[in-house]
Amino acid sequence: MSEQQLFDYLPPVLQRVNELGRISWLEQPEFDRARAAYEQVLQELFPYICSEYGLSRWEKMLGVSPNAMDTAGKRRQVVLLRLSEQLPFTIRRLVEMLALVAPEDQYYIELLPAEYMLRVRLSLIGKSYFRTLQDVLERTLPANLLLDLDLLYNRYGYLVGMTHGELSALHHHDLREEVIE
């Protein structure tokens, strides 16, 4: 898409004046810089497409402290998760929030109304989002519900297909708490 030139904004009768054509040609770089700055500001408004600068501004506004090891993608997901906090709290809304962190088959939600408890289990794939999810749920969960949030650790049924040699290469901690491909 070609950028419109400043000269094109002049009425046809003024386009025939050589001095105005020359002035618009000389002023064009300034208007191009202003247009680029405008487009950059627009981009920073949207967490999906913002730059590193915009991402750090979003984190500062939302009070998010990123880890030094976090990638830009993870930081973006944390910002989007924080932005998804909306009241009233519903299970459907919780599913939408969890979808930002983990695929649908990587967590489960159980509401126990008799115990006034919400049980949420997150897969090991989403382990790096655990603390952020806990903070979000503690802020948005109704005060009369207890939160039981934990990880879905590896279980025997998942490991049963592995050989003894494959299992012996891993430590006990890794067998339980790390994603095994």
Side-chain angles (χ1 to χ4, degrees):
M1 179 176 135
S2 67
E3 299 277 334
Q4 189 136 14
Q5 299 296 309
L6 186 58
F7 180 78
D8 297 333
Y9 287 102
L10 291 174
V13 71
L14 293 178
Q15 287 181 354
R16 290 186 288 234
V17 178
N18 288 338
E19 290 83 6
L20 290 177
R22 180 77 176 143
I23 290 171
S24 66
W25 180 77
L26 290 172
E27 293 292 330
Q28 187 62 44
E30 199 61 37
F31 280 91
D32 290 341
R33 281 191 290 278
R35 180 182 293 130
Y38 169 75
E39 289 171 359
Q40 181 66 32
V41 166
L42 280 181
Q43 180 178 335
E44 303 302 341
L45 293 175
F46 301 99
Y48 286 104
I49 59 172
C50 66
S51 68
E52 176 67 29
Y53 170 76
L55 197 53
S56 65
R57 294 285 297 155
W58 275 106
E59 288 170 339
K60 184 177 178 183
M61 286 188 288
L62 295 171
V64 174
S65 301
N67 272 337
M69 303 294 289
D70 288 349
T71 63
K74 181 183 183 304
R75 291 174 55 208
R76 192 175 312 277
Q77 285 182 313
V78 169
V79 166
L80 292 170
L81 184 63
R82 286 292 307 273
L83 288 172
S84 70
E85 295 175 16
Q86 291 180 5
L87 297 176
F89 187 85
T90 62
I91 296 296
R92 181 180 299 171
R93 189 76 193 113
L94 177 60
V95 169
E96 290 171 7
M97 288 171 32
L98 286 173
L100 294 170
V101 176
E104 189 175 333
D105 61 341
Q106 299 297 320
Y107 62 86
Y108 79 86
I109 303 166
E110 183 180 13
L111 179 63
L112 306 168
E115 290 90 24
Y116 291 96
M117 183 181 294
L118 179 69
R119 183 173 292 148
V120 179
R121 296 293 182 260
L122 184 62
S123 74
L124 291 174
I125 293 172
K127 183 166 118 175
S128 61
Y129 299 100
F130 184 83
R131 189 67 55 209
T132 303
L133 183 62
Q134 184 177 19
D135 293 342
V136 168
L137 287 173
E138 286 174 354
R139 272 193 304 281
T140 58
L141 200 64
N144 67 334
L145 284 180
L146 292 174
L147 174 62
D148 179 15
L149 177 65
D150 207 355
L151 293 171
L152 286 170
Y153 295 106
N154 291 326
R155 301 222 179 351
Y156 173 77
Y158 181 74
L159 301 173
V160 75
M162 298 178 74
T163 66
H164 179 71
E166 293 171 333
L167 291 172
S168 65
L170 301 170
H171 295 288
H172 174 73
H173 176 271
D174 297 338
L175 287 173
R176 182 174 186 257
E177 298 185 17
E178 296 299 325
V179 177
I180 299 175
E181 301 293 329

